[in-house]
Amino acid sequence: MKITQEVREYAANQRIETVDAEVAQGLADQAERFKQEGSQLYKKV
């Protein structure tokens, strides 16, 4: 995918060698936040 390639190129330019590990950590953080906020897809505003 184009966006994935752009992220990898950006990371290479920023000397981030472990893009996959960074993404996995970000996803884990978001999953934890989702659980803490009640695991609901839709919220009343």
Side-chain angles (χ1 to χ4, degrees):
M1 299 185 92
K2 183 179 178 186
I3 189 78
T4 302
Q5 184 59 36
E6 290 173 356
V7 169
R8 290 180 193 277
E9 289 171 2
Y10 173 80
N13 291 335
Q14 298 299 317
R15 301 178 193 256
I16 300 172
E17 297 177 3
T18 57
V19 175
D20 293 334
E22 295 291 326
V23 169
Q25 182 61 46
L27 289 172
D29 293 345
Q30 287 293 45
E32 184 62 32
R33 182 176 167 205
F34 179 72
K35 290 175 188 175
Q36 289 176 353
E37 293 180 357
S39 301
Q40 302 230 342
L41 292 178
Y42 298 102
K43 298 179 185 178
K44 290 189 176 189
V45 181

